[in-house]
Structure formats: structure tokens, C-alpha cells
Amino acid sequence: MQRRRFLGMTAAGAATAALAPTLTACGSGGPGSGTKKLKLIAADYGDKPSNSSKKYWDALVRDFEDKHSKIKVDVEVYSWTEVDKKVADLVAAGKAPDLAQIGAYADYAAAGKLYSVDQLLTVPTQAEFITSIEKAGEVHRVQYGMPFVSSTRLLFCNKDLFDKAGIVKAPESWDELQAAAKKLQANGVKIPFGLPLGPEEAPAETMMWFLSGGGGYTDANGGYTIARTENAKALDWLRDELVGKKLTGPGDPARTNRQDVFDAFCKGDVGMLNGHPTLMQQAKAKGIKYITAPLPGIKGKSKSTMGVADWMMAFKQNGNRDQIGTFLDFVYTTQNVLDFTGQYDLLPVTSSASAKMHADDNRKELRPFLEQLENAEFYPADKTSWAAVSKAIKEKIGDTVKTGGDATSVLSEIEREANSLENASQGR
């Protein structure tokens, strides 16, 4: 299923490719033709041929070319298991596409490969980006990453399991979450709370618990604060109060992936879990009744939730800045944004599309996700070190919630590695 990979997972090997030497340019129309040809490499958000993203791009390009006869756009769509490597290989070979819609941009920006957003978009288009997401696309206060789609996270609760266990409302604090999990456990629920700290999306689940405990990966100035006390306390609480009390089911959280708990939730085996909008479609398809609520926090509703974004970026190599800008202004029109996000239950990245989706009664289940977007916190995707830090979290964080796990030690180790990488990338 391709959608497992979407939203914010960092491109493996992109840093190496981004720093490779430039060879020859490609992507323009022939000399004197008067026509420019753009190449776009895009990710596939569908999980079968009938809902492949290629259909969206083919229709959009036809519409665009009808209005702009001097600009042709060739779009290649790849699965999430292929797309990052495809772009990295093209850049390394000196054949960068004009545009790439993938999961990470910072390595290419740091290597000087990308146009800044203000070099491409008209002021009205640029002003449309939701502020919290726009800032996640900046490197050294200059925006290079254009958000393409986004998502936030909520707590999902199985309504039937809650009713049978006598739980009358979604928990708002960690203590209430534990109390609800105990009632579910006593009522025979296999997995009272699904805790995916496996390699698929451990950085996301970890970040949600850090935020709900008053911590996070970085401080207000963007410096790494992985080893802060609030983060260690969150992991210690998970170790002692959920995992240690068998409230996360029989599996090992360190080996449990997001899709594992999504699948179990859709079978009626999970009472609660943190999820994104895609779970709504999956649960409905299996007849699961659910409720959603803000993430529980240490003393009450979490003050922040995690936001995730995938990115559009424009490479400078072929020199087609004006044509790229014209195409992107078209891509980010309100209806085009809604056509894509509506197909996959994702969130728009522009204010007008978000407002229109919020007002659409057919999309009312997305409103709680939309309402969190403006204040959501995102991965530190602007850091070239984030790919390696994310990998370290995937490899090590699950051990912190096992019996005898030492969160302080593991987080300190990851932070030292993060700062070392970041300093090296800054030439310090």
C-alpha cells in the first residue's frame, strides 16, 4: 500500500546525491522552438491503479497546457518506495528534474540546487500558504520547500469497544488514557492502546508523545532539544504506565509499525491509537465506528499536535524559472489543491482551500484535523541532519519503553549525534 509512505518521511541518500557535481542540463524544448518542456517527478498517493496520482497529474497538465501553449509538462509518477531515490539519482547524474514532489527538500536546498519560493511564485500564491507549514519549508529563514499536502494527528477511539467497557468520553490526560486502557483491558480488548514505535514511523509517534508532555525535538530557535527532561519523562511514563502494565497489547512496540495498529484497529482489536485522516477511510471500509479527539496531554488536552507535510521543490539546473513559476501558480489554485487532497483525505496547505474544505459538510470529519493545522508543529525538516536523526530514532527509541529502558541515556546519545551532524553541516 503506497500511502503508508506519505507525509514527511525523509529521503534516504538525498544528501549525497544533492552534493554530487552538476553535469548537463535537460528539460527544455529544442533550440528556437519557443516551447519549454518541464519535467516533474511526483509521488503516488494511491494504493491501486484506479486511484493512482498519475490520473490527477494527467488531468491537471492537460488543463494547464490548454491555457499555456508554450509550456509543456512531462510528469512521471513513482511509488513512495522509488520516488526519492529516482530524484536523487537524477540529481547525482546531473539531470535534475525541473520539479520534484517528494518527502524532503533540505539537502537539495543546502547544496544550492533549488530556487527559493519567492523566485517562483506570485505574491498572492505565496501568501496563500498556511503559516505553520510555510515556516517548515524554510532553511536559514529562506523558503525553498513548498508544502504540497499536509496532515495532523488525533486520538482515534473504537466507539463500540468504549461503550462495552463503560467509557463515556475520549481521555483528555495521560491519567485518563491509562484509566480507559485499563477498562478496555479488563473487558478483553486485545490492544487497549496501539503504540507503534517500530521502524515505519517511530519519529512521528515519539514526537506526538513529546509534544503532549510539553517537550519536542527542537526549541523555539530551532536547536535540538531531544534530551530535554520532558521528553525523557514521556518515555518513562510510556514504559511504566502503559507498556509495563500490558496496556499496549502482546506485541513489542519497538517492532510495531503504524500500519500494523491501523490494520488491528480496523479488525476491532485496538481500543485507542494516534492516527491521521487516512485511518478514517480504512476504518469505514471495515465497518468500525470511531470517535476522534485531541491528543491527551500530561495534565489535560495536549497544547500542540504534530503536523506533517510533503514537499514540492524546483531545481535551478535547467534555468526554467519563469515557466516553473507559471506552472506552480496553477498547481496551487484552490480547486486544484482541493481536487488532490479530497481524493486522499489529506489536508490542504493553502488558506483558501482549507477554508473551503472546512465549510464543506461532506468533509466535516476532517474539520478537527484542519482546525489543528495552524498551530501544529512539524518535523525539523529544514535540517540536513534530520535524515540521520530520524534513522537513529527509528533504531533506538523503541528500547526506551522496554523493561529497564533508559530514556535519558538514549535521548542524550541521539542528541549528541544530532548536534554533531548539524555542526558539521554548518561548517562548525
Side-chain angles (χ1 to χ4, degrees):
M1 178 175 182
Q2 301 301 344
R3 256 183 279 171
R4 295 184 195 182
R5 171 58 181 77
F6 88 99
L7 289 172
M9 306 289 273
T10 306
T16 302
L19 296 172
T22 297
L23 300 177
T24 57
C26 64
S28 297
S33 68
T35 299
K36 289 286 188 177
K37 185 174 182 180
L38 304 179
K39 169 77 78 175
L40 165 63
I41 304 295
D44 195 349
Y45 289 74
D47 57 1
K48 50 187 177 293
S50 62
N51 68 354
S52 171
S53 300
K54 188 176 189 316
K55 292 186 175 183
Y56 168 83
W57 286 113
D58 286 349
L60 182 144
V61 167
R62 282 196 301 271
D63 194 12
F64 174 78
E65 290 180 351
D66 283 346
K67 297 176 174 65
H68 302 275
S69 60
K70 295 294 186 180
I71 305 174
K72 303 299 180 184
V73 185
D74 177 26
V75 182
E76 294 181 9
V77 175
Y78 294 87
S79 73
W80 274 115
T81 58
E82 303 173 288
V83 68
D84 289 323
K85 185 177 186 300
K86 177 66 177 179
V87 173
D89 287 348
L90 287 171
V91 173
K95 299 178 180 180
D98 295 284
L99 293 150
Q101 186 273 298
I102 51 177
Y105 67 87
D107 295 319
Y108 298 121
K113 302 284 186 182
L114 303 180
Y115 286 115
S116 62
V117 175
D118 61 1
Q119 292 177 300
L120 298 166
L121 302 181
T122 60
V123 171
T125 301
Q126 193 174 352
E128 271 279 279
F129 290 127
I130 294 170
T131 303
S132 62
I133 316 177
E134 178 186 16
K135 292 194 175 300
E138 295 180 356
V139 174
H140 304 311
R141 301 183 185 277
V142 177
Q143 186 184 359
Y144 295 94
M146 290 161 278
F148 182 66
V149 291
S150 64
S151 177
T152 57
R153 304 299 168 95
L154 291 172
L155 178 71
F156 281 72
C157 308
N158 182 306
K159 189 176 185 306
D160 288 338
L161 296 182
F162 265 45
D163 290 345
K164 290 175 183 176
I167 305 168
V168 297
K169 66 180 183 68
E172 295 183 358
S173 68
W174 290 359
D175 286 346
E176 289 181 7
L177 185 145
Q178 187 201 55
K182 285 181 176 179
K183 288 183 179 180
L184 292 165
Q185 182 186 56
N187 209 50
V189 175
K190 185 177 179 182
I191 305 172
F193 185 88
L195 184 65
L197 293 176
E200 183 182 38
E201 214 188 13
E205 187 71 18
T206 301
M207 183 173 175
M208 282 183 269
W209 284 98
F210 285 178
L211 291 173
S212 68
Y217 287 133
T218 58
D219 59 22
N221 297 317
Y224 280 119
T225 57
I226 297 168
R228 66 202 285 183
T229 301
E230 294 90 344
N231 294 346
K233 284 183 176 179
L235 294 173
D236 287 347
W237 188 87
L238 288 173
R239 179 195 64 202
D240 298 336
E241 305 301 332
L242 283 189
V243 180
K245 296 189 183 324
K246 310 296 183 185
L247 297 174
T248 56
D252 177 1
R255 296 178 178 273
T256 302
N257 286 326
R258 174 83 56 210
Q259 196 60 43
D260 297 335
V261 293
F262 275 21
D263 291 345
F265 185 81
C266 294
K267 293 177 183 176
D269 291 337
V270 177
M272 299 175 284
L273 77 167
N274 296 329
H276 52 66
T278 302
L279 181 56
M280 296 191 300
Q281 284 186 354
Q282 297 177 18
K284 286 177 187 175
K286 298 296 184 180
I288 299 296
K289 296 178 182 177
Y290 61 88
I291 57 174
T292 59
L295 302 184
I298 189 169
K299 294 297 182 184
K301 293 179 184 178
S302 178
K303 295 179 181 179
S304 181
T305 190
M306 186 185 75
V308 190
D310 288 337
W311 301 96
M312 181 75 77
M313 63 212 71
F315 288 88
K316 296 191 292 186
Q317 181 177 322
N318 304 320
N320 296 324
R321 187 183 78 173
D322 291 344
Q323 292 78 16
I324 293 170
T326 299
F327 179 65
L328 288 174
D329 279 331
F330 184 77
V331 168
Y332 284 104
T333 57
T334 300
Q335 192 56 52
N336 284 334
V337 171
L338 286 171
D339 285 347
F340 191 89
T341 54
Q343 183 174 352
Y344 301 109
D345 273 350
L346 298 172
L347 304 185
V349 297
T350 62
S351 297
S352 61
S354 183
K356 195 166 183 178
M357 181 179 278
H358 194 280
D360 184 354
D361 286 340
N362 293 324
R363 296 286 175 184
K364 60 184 178 182
E365 287 189 322
L366 286 169
R367 287 173 187 166
F369 295 95
L370 285 165
E371 288 162 2
Q372 296 189 99
L373 195 55
E374 191 65 53
N375 297 315
E377 294 195 28
F378 291 78
Y379 286 139
D382 59 318
K383 295 179 178 294
T384 57
S385 57
W386 175 242
V389 174
S390 177
K391 183 174 183 289
I393 292 168
K394 292 177 183 179
E395 292 172 349
K396 300 173 182 178
I397 211 71
D399 289 338
T400 66
V401 301
K402 295 180 179 179
T403 302
D406 186 345
T408 299
S409 176
V410 170
L411 293 177
S412 296
E413 179 184 350
I414 295 173
E415 184 172 303
R416 285 194 298 272
E417 179 181 349
N419 286 327
S420 176
L421 289 167
E422 193 62 19
N423 289 337
S425 72
Q426 300 295 325
R428 295 197 293 265

Short mmCIF file of all heavy atoms in Angstrom, two decimals, residues 151-203:
data_model
loop_
_atom_site.label_atom_id
_atom_site.label_comp_id
_atom_site.label_asym_id
_atom_site.label_seq_id
_atom_site.Cartn_x
_atom_site.Cartn_y
_atom_site.Cartn_z
N SER A 151 -0.99 16.92 6.95
CA SER A 151 -1.84 16.11 7.82
C SER A 151 -1.54 16.48 9.26
O SER A 151 -0.44 16.94 9.57
CB SER A 151 -1.57 14.62 7.60
OG SER A 151 -2.33 13.83 8.49
N THR A 152 -2.52 16.30 10.13
CA THR A 152 -2.29 16.39 11.56
C THR A 152 -2.76 15.09 12.19
O THR A 152 -3.26 14.20 11.51
CB THR A 152 -3.05 17.58 12.20
OG1 THR A 152 -4.45 17.45 11.91
CG2 THR A 152 -2.53 18.90 11.66
N ARG A 153 -2.60 14.96 13.49
CA ARG A 153 -2.93 13.71 14.17
C ARG A 153 -3.96 13.94 15.27
O ARG A 153 -3.95 14.97 15.96
CB ARG A 153 -1.66 13.10 14.78
CG ARG A 153 -0.54 12.87 13.76
CD ARG A 153 -0.94 11.91 12.66
NE ARG A 153 0.00 11.90 11.55
CZ ARG A 153 1.00 11.05 11.42
NH1 ARG A 153 1.21 10.14 12.35
NH2 ARG A 153 1.78 11.10 10.37
N LEU A 154 -4.83 12.95 15.44
CA LEU A 154 -5.82 12.93 16.50
C LEU A 154 -5.81 11.57 17.18
O LEU A 154 -5.28 10.59 16.64
CB LEU A 154 -7.22 13.20 15.95
CG LEU A 154 -7.55 14.60 15.42
CD1 LEU A 154 -8.92 14.60 14.74
CD2 LEU A 154 -7.52 15.64 16.53
N LEU A 155 -6.43 11.50 18.34
CA LEU A 155 -6.65 10.23 19.01
C LEU A 155 -7.91 9.59 18.42
O LEU A 155 -8.97 10.22 18.37
CB LEU A 155 -6.83 10.45 20.52
CG LEU A 155 -7.11 9.19 21.35
CD1 LEU A 155 -5.87 8.32 21.45
CD2 LEU A 155 -7.61 9.59 22.74
N PHE A 156 -7.80 8.36 17.97
CA PHE A 156 -8.94 7.58 17.48
C PHE A 156 -9.35 6.59 18.56
O PHE A 156 -8.49 5.91 19.16
CB PHE A 156 -8.57 6.79 16.22
CG PHE A 156 -8.55 7.60 14.95
CD1 PHE A 156 -7.55 8.54 14.71
CD2 PHE A 156 -9.53 7.42 13.99
CE1 PHE A 156 -7.52 9.26 13.53
CE2 PHE A 156 -9.52 8.15 12.80
CZ PHE A 156 -8.52 9.07 12.57
N CYS A 157 -10.66 6.48 18.81
CA CYS A 157 -11.19 5.55 19.80
C CYS A 157 -12.27 4.69 19.15
O CYS A 157 -13.16 5.22 18.46
CB CYS A 157 -11.80 6.29 20.99
SG CYS A 157 -10.71 7.51 21.75
N ASN A 158 -12.22 3.38 19.37
CA ASN A 158 -13.25 2.48 18.87
C ASN A 158 -14.51 2.66 19.71
O ASN A 158 -14.52 2.34 20.90
CB ASN A 158 -12.75 1.03 18.94
CG ASN A 158 -13.76 0.04 18.38
OD1 ASN A 158 -14.92 0.01 18.79
ND2 ASN A 158 -13.30 -0.82 17.48
N LYS A 159 -15.57 3.18 19.10
CA LYS A 159 -16.77 3.54 19.84
C LYS A 159 -17.44 2.32 20.48
O LYS A 159 -17.87 2.37 21.64
CB LYS A 159 -17.76 4.27 18.92
CG LYS A 159 -18.95 4.86 19.67
CD LYS A 159 -19.84 5.65 18.74
CE LYS A 159 -20.96 6.34 19.51
NZ LYS A 159 -21.74 5.41 20.33
N ASP A 160 -17.54 1.22 19.75
CA ASP A 160 -18.20 0.04 20.30
C ASP A 160 -17.42 -0.52 21.49
O ASP A 160 -18.02 -0.91 22.51
CB ASP A 160 -18.34 -1.04 19.22
CG ASP A 160 -19.39 -0.68 18.18
OD1 ASP A 160 -20.28 0.14 18.50
OD2 ASP A 160 -19.32 -1.22 17.06
N LEU A 161 -16.09 -0.56 21.38
CA LEU A 161 -15.28 -1.06 22.50
C LEU A 161 -15.38 -0.13 23.70
O LEU A 161 -15.41 -0.60 24.86
CB LEU A 161 -13.82 -1.22 22.07
CG LEU A 161 -13.54 -2.25 20.97
CD1 LEU A 161 -12.05 -2.32 20.68
CD2 LEU A 161 -14.06 -3.63 21.37
N PHE A 162 -15.44 1.16 23.47
CA PHE A 162 -15.62 2.12 24.56
C PHE A 162 -16.96 1.90 25.25
O PHE A 162 -17.05 1.87 26.48
CB PHE A 162 -15.52 3.56 24.04
CG PHE A 162 -14.15 4.17 24.16
CD1 PHE A 162 -13.02 3.46 23.79
CD2 PHE A 162 -13.98 5.46 24.64
CE1 PHE A 162 -11.76 4.01 23.91
CE2 PHE A 162 -12.72 6.02 24.77
CZ PHE A 162 -11.60 5.29 24.40
N ASP A 163 -18.01 1.75 24.45
CA ASP A 163 -19.34 1.55 25.04
C ASP A 163 -19.39 0.28 25.88
O ASP A 163 -19.94 0.27 27.00
CB ASP A 163 -20.39 1.48 23.92
CG ASP A 163 -20.62 2.82 23.23
OD1 ASP A 163 -20.19 3.86 23.79
OD2 ASP A 163 -21.21 2.83 22.13
N LYS A 164 -18.83 -0.80 25.37
CA LYS A 164 -18.85 -2.08 26.11
C LYS A 164 -18.05 -2.00 27.40
O LYS A 164 -18.38 -2.67 28.39
CB LYS A 164 -18.31 -3.20 25.23
CG LYS A 164 -19.23 -3.56 24.07
CD LYS A 164 -18.58 -4.59 23.15
CE LYS A 164 -19.47 -4.89 21.94
NZ LYS A 164 -18.82 -5.82 20.99
N ALA A 165 -17.00 -1.17 27.41
CA ALA A 165 -16.16 -1.04 28.61
C ALA A 165 -16.67 0.04 29.55
O ALA A 165 -16.09 0.27 30.62
CB ALA A 165 -14.72 -0.73 28.21
N GLY A 166 -17.76 0.72 29.17
CA GLY A 166 -18.33 1.76 30.03
C GLY A 166 -17.55 3.05 30.04
O GLY A 166 -17.62 3.83 31.01
N ILE A 167 -16.81 3.32 28.96
CA ILE A 167 -16.04 4.57 28.85
C ILE A 167 -16.91 5.58 28.13
O ILE A 167 -17.31 5.37 26.98
CB ILE A 167 -14.72 4.34 28.10
CG1 ILE A 167 -13.91 3.22 28.76
CG2 ILE A 167 -13.89 5.62 28.06
CD1 ILE A 167 -12.74 2.73 27.92
N VAL A 168 -17.20 6.69 28.78
CA VAL A 168 -18.21 7.62 28.25
C VAL A 168 -17.64 8.71 27.35
O VAL A 168 -18.37 9.32 26.59
CB VAL A 168 -19.01 8.27 29.40
CG1 VAL A 168 -19.77 7.20 30.18
CG2 VAL A 168 -18.10 9.05 30.33
N LYS A 169 -16.31 8.98 27.43
CA LYS A 169 -15.74 10.02 26.57
C LYS A 169 -14.26 9.74 26.33
O LYS A 169 -13.63 8.95 27.06
CB LYS A 169 -15.89 11.40 27.21
CG LYS A 169 -15.11 11.62 28.49
CD LYS A 169 -15.36 13.03 29.04
CE LYS A 169 -14.54 13.31 30.29
NZ LYS A 169 -13.09 13.40 30.01
N ALA A 170 -13.76 10.36 25.31
CA ALA A 170 -12.34 10.19 24.99
C ALA A 170 -11.48 10.79 26.10
O ALA A 170 -11.80 11.84 26.65
CB ALA A 170 -12.01 10.87 23.67
N PRO A 171 -10.37 10.15 26.45
CA PRO A 171 -9.50 10.68 27.51
C PRO A 171 -8.84 11.99 27.08
O PRO A 171 -8.54 12.20 25.90
CB PRO A 171 -8.45 9.58 27.69
CG PRO A 171 -8.45 8.82 26.40
CD PRO A 171 -9.86 8.88 25.89
N GLU A 172 -8.63 12.87 28.06
CA GLU A 172 -8.00 14.16 27.78
C GLU A 172 -6.62 14.29 28.42
O GLU A 172 -5.87 15.19 28.05
CB GLU A 172 -8.90 15.30 28.29
CG GLU A 172 -10.23 15.39 27.56
CD GLU A 172 -11.08 16.57 28.02
OE1 GLU A 172 -10.63 17.30 28.94
OE2 GLU A 172 -12.18 16.76 27.47
N SER A 173 -6.30 13.43 29.35
CA SER A 173 -4.99 13.47 30.02
C SER A 173 -4.37 12.08 29.97
O SER A 173 -5.04 11.09 29.67
CB SER A 173 -5.14 13.92 31.47
OG SER A 173 -5.82 12.92 32.23
N TRP A 174 -3.09 12.01 30.30
CA TRP A 174 -2.43 10.71 30.33
C TRP A 174 -3.07 9.79 31.38
O TRP A 174 -3.23 8.60 31.14
CB TRP A 174 -0.94 10.89 30.64
CG TRP A 174 -0.16 11.52 29.53
CD1 TRP A 174 -0.61 11.90 28.30
CD2 TRP A 174 1.24 11.80 29.55
NE1 TRP A 174 0.40 12.43 27.55
CE2 TRP A 174 1.55 12.39 28.29
CE3 TRP A 174 2.24 11.66 30.49
CZ2 TRP A 174 2.85 12.80 27.98
CZ3 TRP A 174 3.54 12.06 30.17
CH2 TRP A 174 3.84 12.62 28.93
N ASP A 175 -3.41 10.34 32.53
CA ASP A 175 -4.04 9.50 33.56
C ASP A 175 -5.37 8.96 33.07
O ASP A 175 -5.71 7.79 33.31
CB ASP A 175 -4.24 10.30 34.85
CG ASP A 175 -2.93 10.54 35.60
OD1 ASP A 175 -1.93 9.86 35.27
OD2 ASP A 175 -2.91 11.41 36.49
N GLU A 176 -6.15 9.81 32.38
CA GLU A 176 -7.44 9.34 31.85
C GLU A 176 -7.23 8.30 30.75
O GLU A 176 -8.01 7.34 30.63
CB GLU A 176 -8.24 10.53 31.30
CG GLU A 176 -8.79 11.45 32.39
CD GLU A 176 -9.61 12.60 31.82
OE1 GLU A 176 -9.87 12.60 30.60
OE2 GLU A 176 -9.99 13.50 32.59
N LEU A 177 -6.17 8.47 29.96
CA LEU A 177 -5.88 7.49 28.92
C LEU A 177 -5.54 6.14 29.56
O LEU A 177 -6.02 5.09 29.10
CB LEU A 177 -4.71 7.98 28.05
CG LEU A 177 -4.35 7.13 26.84
CD1 LEU A 177 -3.89 8.00 25.68
CD2 LEU A 177 -3.27 6.10 27.15
N GLN A 178 -4.73 6.17 30.60
CA GLN A 178 -4.39 4.91 31.27
C GLN A 178 -5.63 4.27 31.89
O GLN A 178 -5.83 3.04 31.78
CB GLN A 178 -3.34 5.14 32.35
CG GLN A 178 -2.84 3.83 32.96
CD GLN A 178 -2.21 4.02 34.33
OE1 GLN A 178 -2.85 4.57 35.22
NE2 GLN A 178 -0.99 3.56 34.49
N ALA A 179 -6.49 5.08 32.50
CA ALA A 179 -7.70 4.55 33.11
C ALA A 179 -8.60 3.90 32.07
O ALA A 179 -9.18 2.82 32.29
CB ALA A 179 -8.44 5.66 33.85
N ALA A 180 -8.74 4.55 30.90
CA ALA A 180 -9.54 3.98 29.83
C ALA A 180 -8.92 2.69 29.31
O ALA A 180 -9.62 1.71 29.04
CB ALA A 180 -9.68 5.00 28.70
N ALA A 181 -7.59 2.68 29.18
CA ALA A 181 -6.91 1.48 28.70
C ALA A 181 -7.11 0.31 29.68
O ALA A 181 -7.28 -0.84 29.25
CB ALA A 181 -5.42 1.77 28.52
N LYS A 182 -7.11 0.59 30.96
CA LYS A 182 -7.33 -0.47 31.95
C LYS A 182 -8.74 -1.04 31.82
O LYS A 182 -8.96 -2.26 31.95
CB LYS A 182 -7.09 0.07 33.36
CG LYS A 182 -5.63 0.26 33.71
CD LYS A 182 -5.48 0.78 35.14
CE LYS A 182 -4.02 0.89 35.54
NZ LYS A 182 -3.86 1.41 36.93
N LYS A 183 -9.73 -0.18 31.59
CA LYS A 183 -11.11 -0.66 31.42
C LYS A 183 -11.22 -1.51 30.16
O LYS A 183 -11.91 -2.55 30.15
CB LYS A 183 -12.07 0.53 31.34
CG LYS A 183 -12.29 1.24 32.67
CD LYS A 183 -13.31 2.38 32.52
CE LYS A 183 -13.55 3.07 33.86
NZ LYS A 183 -14.54 4.17 33.74
N LEU A 184 -10.57 -1.09 29.10
CA LEU A 184 -10.58 -1.88 27.87
C LEU A 184 -9.90 -3.23 28.09
O LEU A 184 -10.39 -4.27 27.64
CB LEU A 184 -9.87 -1.11 26.76
CG LEU A 184 -10.57 0.16 26.25
CD1 LEU A 184 -9.61 1.02 25.44
CD2 LEU A 184 -11.79 -0.20 25.40
N GLN A 185 -8.79 -3.22 28.79
CA GLN A 185 -8.07 -4.45 29.10
C GLN A 185 -8.95 -5.41 29.91
O GLN A 185 -9.03 -6.61 29.60
CB GLN A 185 -6.79 -4.13 29.87
CG GLN A 185 -5.91 -5.31 30.21
CD GLN A 185 -4.74 -4.90 31.10
OE1 GLN A 185 -4.94 -4.32 32.17
NE2 GLN A 185 -3.53 -5.15 30.65
N ALA A 186 -9.62 -4.87 30.92
CA ALA A 186 -10.49 -5.70 31.76
C ALA A 186 -11.67 -6.26 30.98
O ALA A 186 -12.23 -7.31 31.36
CB ALA A 186 -10.98 -4.88 32.95
N ASN A 187 -12.02 -5.58 29.90
CA ASN A 187 -13.15 -6.03 29.08
C ASN A 187 -12.70 -6.94 27.93
O ASN A 187 -13.48 -7.23 27.02
CB ASN A 187 -13.91 -4.83 28.53
CG ASN A 187 -15.37 -5.10 28.30
OD1 ASN A 187 -16.07 -5.62 29.17
ND2 ASN A 187 -15.86 -4.78 27.10
N GLY A 188 -11.44 -7.34 27.96
CA GLY A 188 -10.95 -8.32 26.99
C GLY A 188 -10.43 -7.76 25.69
O GLY A 188 -10.20 -8.51 24.74
N VAL A 189 -10.22 -6.44 25.61
CA VAL A 189 -9.68 -5.85 24.38
C VAL A 189 -8.22 -6.25 24.22
O VAL A 189 -7.41 -6.10 25.15
CB VAL A 189 -9.84 -4.32 24.39
CG1 VAL A 189 -9.18 -3.70 23.16
CG2 VAL A 189 -11.32 -3.94 24.44
N LYS A 190 -7.88 -6.77 23.06
CA LYS A 190 -6.54 -7.31 22.82
C LYS A 190 -5.46 -6.24 22.95
O LYS A 190 -4.41 -6.47 23.57
CB LYS A 190 -6.49 -7.94 21.43
CG LYS A 190 -5.18 -8.63 21.11
CD LYS A 190 -5.25 -9.30 19.74
CE LYS A 190 -3.94 -9.98 19.39
NZ LYS A 190 -3.99 -10.61 18.04
N ILE A 191 -5.69 -5.06 22.35
CA ILE A 191 -4.70 -3.97 22.38
C ILE A 191 -5.42 -2.71 22.87
O ILE A 191 -6.01 -1.98 22.06
CB ILE A 191 -4.09 -3.73 20.98
CG1 ILE A 191 -3.48 -5.02 20.42
CG2 ILE A 191 -3.03 -2.62 21.04
CD1 ILE A 191 -3.03 -4.92 18.97
N PRO A 192 -5.41 -2.45 24.16
CA PRO A 192 -6.08 -1.25 24.66
C PRO A 192 -5.58 0.04 24.01
O PRO A 192 -6.36 0.90 23.64
CB PRO A 192 -5.80 -1.29 26.15
CG PRO A 192 -5.62 -2.75 26.46
CD PRO A 192 -4.90 -3.30 25.24
N PHE A 193 -4.25 0.18 23.90
CA PHE A 193 -3.68 1.35 23.22
C PHE A 193 -2.60 0.87 22.26
O PHE A 193 -1.65 0.19 22.65
CB PHE A 193 -3.08 2.35 24.20
CG PHE A 193 -2.61 3.61 23.52
CD1 PHE A 193 -3.47 4.68 23.33
CD2 PHE A 193 -1.31 3.73 23.02
CE1 PHE A 193 -3.07 5.83 22.66
CE2 PHE A 193 -0.89 4.87 22.36
CZ PHE A 193 -1.78 5.93 22.18
N GLY A 194 -2.73 1.25 20.98
CA GLY A 194 -1.73 0.88 19.99
C GLY A 194 -0.56 1.84 20.00
O GLY A 194 -0.75 3.05 19.83
N LEU A 195 0.65 1.32 20.20
CA LEU A 195 1.84 2.16 20.34
C LEU A 195 2.89 1.75 19.30
O LEU A 195 3.74 0.91 19.56
CB LEU A 195 2.42 2.03 21.75
CG LEU A 195 3.62 2.93 22.08
CD1 LEU A 195 3.22 4.40 22.07
CD2 LEU A 195 4.20 2.55 23.45
N PRO A 196 2.86 2.35 18.12
CA PRO A 196 3.80 1.96 17.06
C PRO A 196 5.13 2.71 17.15
O PRO A 196 5.26 3.84 16.66
CB PRO A 196 3.04 2.32 15.78
CG PRO A 196 2.18 3.48 16.17
CD PRO A 196 1.84 3.29 17.63
N LEU A 197 6.10 2.08 17.75
CA LEU A 197 7.45 2.67 17.82
C LEU A 197 8.42 1.87 16.95
O LEU A 197 9.62 1.87 17.18
CB LEU A 197 7.94 2.72 19.27
CG LEU A 197 7.18 3.68 20.18
CD1 LEU A 197 7.69 3.58 21.62
CD2 LEU A 197 7.30 5.12 19.69
N GLY A 198 7.88 1.18 15.96
CA GLY A 198 8.69 0.42 15.02
C GLY A 198 9.28 1.30 13.94
O GLY A 198 9.06 2.51 13.90
N PRO A 199 10.02 0.69 13.01
CA PRO A 199 10.80 1.47 12.04
C PRO A 199 9.99 2.25 11.02
O PRO A 199 10.52 3.14 10.37
CB PRO A 199 11.66 0.40 11.35
CG PRO A 199 10.95 -0.88 11.57
CD PRO A 199 10.29 -0.76 12.90
N GLU A 200 8.71 1.94 10.85
CA GLU A 200 7.94 2.66 9.83
C GLU A 200 7.76 4.13 10.19
O GLU A 200 7.95 5.01 9.36
CB GLU A 200 6.56 2.02 9.65
CG GLU A 200 5.75 2.69 8.54
CD GLU A 200 4.35 2.08 8.39
OE1 GLU A 200 3.74 1.74 9.41
OE2 GLU A 200 3.90 1.97 7.25
N GLU A 201 7.37 4.41 11.43
CA GLU A 201 7.04 5.80 11.76
C GLU A 201 7.32 6.12 13.22
O GLU A 201 6.62 6.93 13.83
CB GLU A 201 5.57 6.09 11.42
CG GLU A 201 5.38 7.51 10.94
CD GLU A 201 3.91 7.89 10.78
OE1 GLU A 201 3.03 7.18 11.26
OE2 GLU A 201 3.68 8.96 10.19
N ALA A 202 8.36 5.54 13.78
CA ALA A 202 8.71 5.84 15.18
C ALA A 202 8.93 7.32 15.43
O ALA A 202 8.52 7.83 16.49
CB ALA A 202 9.94 5.04 15.59
N PRO A 203 9.56 8.09 14.52
CA PRO A 203 9.76 9.51 14.81
C PRO A 203 8.44 10.27 15.00
O PRO A 203 8.38 11.22 15.78
CB PRO A 203 10.52 10.02 13.58
CG PRO A 203 11.22 8.82 13.05
CD PRO A 203 10.27 7.68 13.29
#
